[in-house]
Amino acid sequence: MTTQPQLFQIALDPGDVVYTPDWVARDMVEYFQPSGRILEPSCGDGVLMKYLPAHAEWCEIERGRDFFAWQEPVDWCFGNPPYSLFSEFLDHSMAVSSDICYLIPANKAFNSYSMIDRVMDWGGIKSIRVYGTGAKLKFPIGYAIAAVHYKRDYTGATMITMYKGANQ
């Protein structure tokens, strides 16, 4: 008997509709250099898609492509997930991908012991790139915002860098 994937009926909280600034999208792709089969699981207005390789695939619940229905393996999940569903996005990403890079409030990466335990059992956090406060990115939150790179079977140190580009 095969198990059906768990689908989430998403009633988007207005705070979950947070679009990635163009300068952040460009820097994330240049910095992390995703390659292979790439999935943007919550593409919103598509800003990351314009910097990702042309073969990148996408999901967007508002356009009828539910990330939680995606079951094919990918090399990278790369995006800006809805923050109220971050734990669920991370768990599903770990099931389908070897590398994950999500733009999130930095504290989300360490939200709970059970999440850290799941991440460490799967791999680890390879790097964190900090972009500034939510206000700097025009997000409705004040926490530090960072791109966090999770990697399957990773056991090394976590590197933390600060974006110091023109928009700093």
Side-chain angles (χ1 to χ4, degrees), residues 1 10 13-14 24 27 29 44-45 51 54 59 71 75 79-80 84-85 94 96 98 106 116 122 140-141 165:
M1 179 174 153
I10 300 175
D13 176 324
V24 173
D27 184 75
V29 173
D45 64 358
Y51 295 107
C59 292
Q71 298 299 310
D75 298 301
N80 179 0
S84 69
L85 292 173
M94 289 189 297
V96 299
S98 300
I116 294 168
W122 175 81
I141 51 178

Side-chain angles (χ1 to χ4, degrees), residues 37-53:
R37 190 167 188 202
I38 304 164
L39 174 65
E40 212 293 31
S42 54
C43 77
D45 64 358
V47 69
L48 279 161
M49 293 299 293
K50 78 181 191 181
Y51 295 107
L52 288 170

Side-chain angles (χ1 to χ4, degrees), residues 2 17 22 25 53 59 75 106 120 125 133 148 150 154 158 168:
T2 50
V17 182
D22 188 85
C59 292
D75 298 301
M120 298 310 289
I125 296 176
T133 65
V148 179
Y150 301 87
Y154 184 71
T158 302
Q168 182 61 25

Side-chain angles (χ1 to χ4, degrees), residues 19-32 34 40 45-52 78 80 103 131 137 163 167:
Y19 294 108
T20 307
D22 188 85
W23 61 272
V24 173
R26 182 178 56 252
D27 184 75
M28 281 177 64
V29 173
E30 288 174 3
Y31 184 81
F32 293 102
E40 212 293 31
D45 64 358
V47 69
L48 279 161
M49 293 299 293
K50 78 181 191 181
Y51 295 107
L52 288 170
F78 200 93
N80 179 0
L103 184 68
Y131 288 99
L137 279 69
Y163 173 83
N167 292 1

Side-chain angles (χ1 to χ4, degrees), residues 15 39 48 61 88 107 112 131:
L39 174 65
L48 279 161
I61 191 72
E88 293 86 352
N107 62 309
S112 71
Y131 288 99

